[in-house]
Amino acid sequence: MEQTLVLNAERQLSLLVNTYLASDDQVHNEVKIVIDTITTNNLLCFKNSEKVPDSVYKKYEIALHKWVSRVNSLIVSRVQSARLVGVLLLKQTAEQSWTLFLEHSAKWCQHLVGILNKSELDQTHIVAIASLKSFLSRIADSSELQRDVALTLVPKINQALLLLGDKSPALIKHILDGLRFTSSYYPVQFRPSLGKATTLSIRYLNGYTFDSDPSTTIEASEFLASLCQVGGKQAMADRWYENVILCLGTIIQSLDRLSESVENSGNPGYLPCFDVLPDLGDSAKSFPTLANVIGSMTCLLASLLKTPFTQPVNIPVELIVYIVRRISSLNEASEIVPGRDRTEFQLLLLAAGKLHTCALKIVLVLVTCLRNHIIPYIPVICDSVLLIHANSSNSTATRVATYKVISVLVEVYGLSLASLLPNSFYVSLLKDSVVQKSGESQSDEAKSSGNTGSRKQRSDRRSKATGSTPNMISAGSLLNRLVVSDLSLEATRSINSIMKASPACVPPQTRIAFDRQYISNALLLKTITTCSLNAEIETSVPIHTAILNYLLLAVQSPFAQYKALLPHILDICASGLYNPSSSIRQLCLEILAVCRTIVHPPLPCYQLNKEPHQELENDEYNPSTGISTENLINDSPKRKEDFTNGDESSYSVSKKPKIRDEINSINSSFDGAINKGGDEDNHEVQSHHDGVELKMEAEKDLGAKKPDLGNNDQSIPSLFTKSSIGITSHNEGSNDDDEEAIPDIVSDASDSEMDEE
């Protein structure tokens, strides 16, 4: 089997070389099929083994040699497109065959460095940089290749990339990516190029590329932050701290130039900065550039704070918080310096939105990277964010960023930060979370009411012409009322974060308003989902998910209006089970599971008595009757009436340790006393099972003597005293009537005992 595969690989390689790679001018048209063939069939990865005859493997080696020779000739070809194809095939060959890479790695790296030094197509340079990164990563796994190839070629590669950065600014992102790769894998060999690499990265942080190409600014920031780990004469921590101070100093000096027309307080003094500030001149030209410089330095500060370190570093948190506080104070209410031109102040207000976004980004990076280390500054940071939010009523992007930052702050710091939010913030949050446009005015409704008939006729004709139904038309009108914007989505997510962290911090009236609004929004989305197309439903999935999350949090948090919300939530989630989106269906199932525990609360655990034949205590639960023996009399209205003949104040039950033992002793004593009395006393005992009542009447002759019963003489009346069975009378005025009304628990207990048997 393996022999067949090797033979097929040899034939296919020969066919590719002789057919598709024969002409330098036409090779770029056939490069796709060549790469697909060698990657799909793995034509370059076969090795010599015992299962393959030597003659067969020699033929395969000859085909490989022809392949490598043809690829090398394409790299040095005079045709630019052929050189591009050669670099692509070289990269695929090195990735598929480790044996060929070990044999030709030094030569191939030299070819790629030569291509970087030449004037080539931009695509050729990009592929060459990617190939060098792949080669260097494979060389790092072999100590032999590091000694023979990396030590000599890495400085040349860095030098070629730096020269290419000066010649081709359009390739700066790929060049910086390649330099960052070599600095992280080979920091020792990168140190001679450290100064030039720093200058190259700072060149793209001057603000001119911040608006036109933000990705280049981010790449330059990350590359400059990674250079702190290269080392050199300074320690890594010292180099990092120096770059942070230079970054903060650049921001402060830019703010000083921007706010010359505004009175400032608390200036920290002079700080060094990068050489990226524009020359002072016309304010209309310099102010936008200064704002872009602040934006670029914000990206650099974020990259520096996110740089991992194995040793502790000093972070100037107070200086960073000062910058955030100063930017947040720039608004229309700022005091203008007397004598300054008001035009500069107006230009400053135009750049305030971008500056506020930079401040919010700094806060977000601080919270993400430092967390508990900035807890003492949380009140100041929260006030700054709220001040930016209050002054950005006309900037939707700034308000969206504000809600994102507040959501992160609440998720990280919980109740301590939610308690700092004022009621005015909840009011604006309620306003921005609306996803339904306002309806028509009363005057418009009055005008439209007169044309109801004509509108109906037109709608009927339109439905007949288009084949639509009235439900589809109403769905379209409802869809026009729905506003799926980033502002409403982030506002909903922000209130969800607050409700999850601390629902008690939301004012009661505001909570009621939120509940009503989101119930109405959910009902609107329910109607749209049932009547709209799938494409229209997909656009509402994020806001629908956010609203359902709020309803889930509203169900889980207790509130006075809780019962009023539950029926609506059940209806909304029941219809949400048929939503096309799987995430919404899953969320509706979770909400219904929570609601089910509220509508049908689970009963406590029912534990049976382990020894059912043991004597029950007076406060023990009886499984056969379902009530406790303590409440055997109190829980039965009929027993209560039989005991007292309707008088509830004539009895009370006192607890005894063993009721059944006492009942048995009463029965035995009573039977003994009757038997000893003989025929001299006529005792009539009437037992009424329904009323649980026992009477005893003794008819005595007027002239007869009382029989002598010995010690049992006093036992008969003592047995029927109320205290003997735990019943005490509160009406001591009557004797005979009370004695007749005294119930006998003996008969009832005996009957219940027989029933159990």
PDB file of all heavy atoms in Angstrom, residues 151-168:
ATOM      1  N   LEU A 151      21.565  32.690  14.416  1.00  0.00           N
ATOM      2  CA  LEU A 151      22.539  33.658  14.914  1.00  0.00           C
ATOM      3  C   LEU A 151      23.059  34.571  13.812  1.00  0.00           C
ATOM      4  O   LEU A 151      23.428  35.729  14.065  1.00  0.00           O
ATOM      5  CB  LEU A 151      23.711  32.916  15.571  1.00  0.00           C
ATOM      6  CG  LEU A 151      23.379  32.152  16.863  1.00  0.00           C
ATOM      7  CD1 LEU A 151      24.616  31.442  17.393  1.00  0.00           C
ATOM      8  CD2 LEU A 151      22.826  33.097  17.913  1.00  0.00           C
ATOM      9  N   THR A 152      23.108  34.100  12.604  1.00  0.00           N
ATOM     10  CA  THR A 152      23.646  34.908  11.499  1.00  0.00           C
ATOM     11  C   THR A 152      22.562  35.602  10.678  1.00  0.00           C
ATOM     12  O   THR A 152      22.782  36.699  10.156  1.00  0.00           O
ATOM     13  CB  THR A 152      24.476  34.013  10.563  1.00  0.00           C
ATOM     14  OG1 THR A 152      23.665  32.922  10.099  1.00  0.00           O
ATOM     15  CG2 THR A 152      25.679  33.439  11.310  1.00  0.00           C
ATOM     16  N   LEU A 153      21.378  34.976  10.586  1.00  0.00           N
ATOM     17  CA  LEU A 153      20.354  35.520   9.696  1.00  0.00           C
ATOM     18  C   LEU A 153      19.372  36.463  10.382  1.00  0.00           C
ATOM     19  O   LEU A 153      18.814  37.343   9.717  1.00  0.00           O
ATOM     20  CB  LEU A 153      19.575  34.364   9.043  1.00  0.00           C
ATOM     21  CG  LEU A 153      20.305  33.599   7.941  1.00  0.00           C
ATOM     22  CD1 LEU A 153      19.426  32.494   7.391  1.00  0.00           C
ATOM     23  CD2 LEU A 153      20.721  34.541   6.812  1.00  0.00           C
ATOM     24  N   VAL A 154      19.123  36.316  11.690  1.00  0.00           N
ATOM     25  CA  VAL A 154      18.134  37.169  12.362  1.00  0.00           C
ATOM     26  C   VAL A 154      18.535  38.646  12.309  1.00  0.00           C
ATOM     27  O   VAL A 154      17.686  39.506  12.011  1.00  0.00           O
ATOM     28  CB  VAL A 154      17.908  36.690  13.811  1.00  0.00           C
ATOM     29  CG1 VAL A 154      17.125  37.724  14.618  1.00  0.00           C
ATOM     30  CG2 VAL A 154      17.158  35.366  13.809  1.00  0.00           C
ATOM     31  N   PRO A 155      19.788  39.050  12.590  1.00  0.00           N
ATOM     32  CA  PRO A 155      20.132  40.475  12.432  1.00  0.00           C
ATOM     33  C   PRO A 155      19.924  40.984  11.005  1.00  0.00           C
ATOM     34  O   PRO A 155      19.489  42.126  10.810  1.00  0.00           O
ATOM     35  CB  PRO A 155      21.612  40.519  12.834  1.00  0.00           C
ATOM     36  CG  PRO A 155      21.786  39.351  13.747  1.00  0.00           C
ATOM     37  CD  PRO A 155      20.909  38.297  13.183  1.00  0.00           C
ATOM     38  N   LYS A 156      20.217  40.140  10.006  1.00  0.00           N
ATOM     39  CA  LYS A 156      19.990  40.562   8.627  1.00  0.00           C
ATOM     40  C   LYS A 156      18.496  40.729   8.328  1.00  0.00           C
ATOM     41  O   LYS A 156      18.098  41.650   7.603  1.00  0.00           O
ATOM     42  CB  LYS A 156      20.606  39.541   7.664  1.00  0.00           C
ATOM     43  CG  LYS A 156      22.122  39.419   7.758  1.00  0.00           C
ATOM     44  CD  LYS A 156      22.644  38.387   6.770  1.00  0.00           C
ATOM     45  CE  LYS A 156      24.161  38.259   6.862  1.00  0.00           C
ATOM     46  NZ  LYS A 156      24.698  37.248   5.909  1.00  0.00           N
ATOM     47  N   ILE A 157      17.689  39.833   8.889  1.00  0.00           N
ATOM     48  CA  ILE A 157      16.241  39.943   8.682  1.00  0.00           C
ATOM     49  C   ILE A 157      15.707  41.227   9.305  1.00  0.00           C
ATOM     50  O   ILE A 157      14.897  41.949   8.702  1.00  0.00           O
ATOM     51  CB  ILE A 157      15.541  38.704   9.267  1.00  0.00           C
ATOM     52  CG1 ILE A 157      15.918  37.456   8.466  1.00  0.00           C
ATOM     53  CG2 ILE A 157      14.026  38.884   9.279  1.00  0.00           C
ATOM     54  CD1 ILE A 157      15.407  36.163   9.079  1.00  0.00           C
ATOM     55  N   ASN A 158      16.155  41.553  10.524  1.00  0.00           N
ATOM     56  CA  ASN A 158      15.704  42.789  11.183  1.00  0.00           C
ATOM     57  C   ASN A 158      16.115  44.024  10.385  1.00  0.00           C
ATOM     58  O   ASN A 158      15.323  44.966  10.223  1.00  0.00           O
ATOM     59  CB  ASN A 158      16.292  42.862  12.597  1.00  0.00           C
ATOM     60  CG  ASN A 158      15.744  41.773  13.506  1.00  0.00           C
ATOM     61  OD1 ASN A 158      14.614  41.305  13.327  1.00  0.00           O
ATOM     62  ND2 ASN A 158      16.539  41.360  14.474  1.00  0.00           N
ATOM     63  N   GLN A 159      17.340  44.025   9.904  1.00  0.00           N
ATOM     64  CA  GLN A 159      17.815  45.160   9.122  1.00  0.00           C
ATOM     65  C   GLN A 159      17.011  45.306   7.834  1.00  0.00           C
ATOM     66  O   GLN A 159      16.648  46.424   7.425  1.00  0.00           O
ATOM     67  CB  GLN A 159      19.310  44.988   8.804  1.00  0.00           C
ATOM     68  CG  GLN A 159      19.963  46.180   8.150  1.00  0.00           C
ATOM     69  CD  GLN A 159      20.044  47.387   9.088  1.00  0.00           C
ATOM     70  OE1 GLN A 159      20.030  47.238  10.313  1.00  0.00           O
ATOM     71  NE2 GLN A 159      20.131  48.591   8.512  1.00  0.00           N
ATOM     72  N   ALA A 160      16.706  44.183   7.181  1.00  0.00           N
ATOM     73  CA  ALA A 160      15.926  44.255   5.942  1.00  0.00           C
ATOM     74  C   ALA A 160      14.505  44.751   6.200  1.00  0.00           C
ATOM     75  O   ALA A 160      13.958  45.548   5.421  1.00  0.00           O
ATOM     76  CB  ALA A 160      15.893  42.870   5.290  1.00  0.00           C
ATOM     77  N   LEU A 161      13.914  44.345   7.320  1.00  0.00           N
ATOM     78  CA  LEU A 161      12.559  44.803   7.646  1.00  0.00           C
ATOM     79  C   LEU A 161      12.541  46.296   7.976  1.00  0.00           C
ATOM     80  O   LEU A 161      11.608  47.023   7.591  1.00  0.00           O
ATOM     81  CB  LEU A 161      12.011  43.990   8.821  1.00  0.00           C
ATOM     82  CG  LEU A 161      11.662  42.521   8.525  1.00  0.00           C
ATOM     83  CD1 LEU A 161      11.270  41.803   9.803  1.00  0.00           C
ATOM     84  CD2 LEU A 161      10.538  42.440   7.504  1.00  0.00           C
ATOM     85  N   LEU A 162      13.557  46.778   8.679  1.00  0.00           N
ATOM     86  CA  LEU A 162      13.603  48.206   9.004  1.00  0.00           C
ATOM     87  C   LEU A 162      13.774  49.054   7.745  1.00  0.00           C
ATOM     88  O   LEU A 162      13.143  50.118   7.604  1.00  0.00           O
ATOM     89  CB  LEU A 162      14.739  48.474   9.989  1.00  0.00           C
ATOM     90  CG  LEU A 162      14.544  47.907  11.405  1.00  0.00           C
ATOM     91  CD1 LEU A 162      15.813  48.088  12.231  1.00  0.00           C
ATOM     92  CD2 LEU A 162      13.370  48.589  12.093  1.00  0.00           C
ATOM     93  N   LEU A 163      14.624  48.601   6.819  1.00  0.00           N
ATOM     94  CA  LEU A 163      14.776  49.334   5.559  1.00  0.00           C
ATOM     95  C   LEU A 163      13.501  49.306   4.731  1.00  0.00           C
ATOM     96  O   LEU A 163      13.134  50.298   4.090  1.00  0.00           O
ATOM     97  CB  LEU A 163      15.941  48.748   4.751  1.00  0.00           C
ATOM     98  CG  LEU A 163      17.343  48.932   5.348  1.00  0.00           C
ATOM     99  CD1 LEU A 163      18.388  48.201   4.502  1.00  0.00           C
ATOM    100  CD2 LEU A 163      17.687  50.416   5.460  1.00  0.00           C
ATOM    101  N   LEU A 164      12.826  48.174   4.745  1.00  0.00           N
ATOM    102  CA  LEU A 164      11.565  48.079   4.009  1.00  0.00           C
ATOM    103  C   LEU A 164      10.498  48.979   4.627  1.00  0.00           C
ATOM    104  O   LEU A 164       9.648  49.519   3.906  1.00  0.00           O
ATOM    105  CB  LEU A 164      11.092  46.624   3.999  1.00  0.00           C
ATOM    106  CG  LEU A 164       9.832  46.312   3.184  1.00  0.00           C
ATOM    107  CD1 LEU A 164      10.073  46.635   1.707  1.00  0.00           C
ATOM    108  CD2 LEU A 164       9.416  44.858   3.367  1.00  0.00           C
ATOM    109  N   GLY A 165      10.540  49.169   5.963  1.00  0.00           N
ATOM    110  CA  GLY A 165       9.596  50.086   6.603  1.00  0.00           C
ATOM    111  C   GLY A 165       9.783  51.521   6.161  1.00  0.00           C
ATOM    112  O   GLY A 165       8.803  52.285   6.064  1.00  0.00           O
ATOM    113  N   ASP A 166      11.026  51.921   5.883  1.00  0.00           N
ATOM    114  CA  ASP A 166      11.270  53.271   5.381  1.00  0.00           C
ATOM    115  C   ASP A 166      10.826  53.430   3.925  1.00  0.00           C
ATOM    116  O   ASP A 166      10.377  54.508   3.522  1.00  0.00           O
ATOM    117  CB  ASP A 166      12.755  53.608   5.501  1.00  0.00           C
ATOM    118  CG  ASP A 166      13.211  53.638   6.959  1.00  0.00           C
ATOM    119  OD1 ASP A 166      12.351  53.902   7.831  1.00  0.00           O
ATOM    120  OD2 ASP A 166      14.400  53.384   7.214  1.00  0.00           O
ATOM    121  N   LYS A 167      10.918  52.361   3.152  1.00  0.00           N
ATOM    122  CA  LYS A 167      10.584  52.454   1.730  1.00  0.00           C
ATOM    123  C   LYS A 167       9.095  52.254   1.449  1.00  0.00           C
ATOM    124  O   LYS A 167       8.549  52.892   0.553  1.00  0.00           O
ATOM    125  CB  LYS A 167      11.382  51.405   0.936  1.00  0.00           C
ATOM    126  CG  LYS A 167      12.894  51.587   0.989  1.00  0.00           C
ATOM    127  CD  LYS A 167      13.593  50.461   0.243  1.00  0.00           C
ATOM    128  CE  LYS A 167      15.095  50.590   0.316  1.00  0.00           C
ATOM    129  NZ  LYS A 167      15.796  49.471  -0.392  1.00  0.00           N
ATOM    130  N   SER A 168       8.452  51.370   2.200  1.00  0.00           N
ATOM    131  CA  SER A 168       7.057  50.993   1.907  1.00  0.00           C
ATOM    132  C   SER A 168       6.181  51.215   3.133  1.00  0.00           C
ATOM    133  O   SER A 168       5.973  50.289   3.940  1.00  0.00           O
ATOM    134  CB  SER A 168       6.991  49.526   1.460  1.00  0.00           C
ATOM    135  OG  SER A 168       7.814  49.288   0.353  1.00  0.00           O
TER     136      SER A 168
END
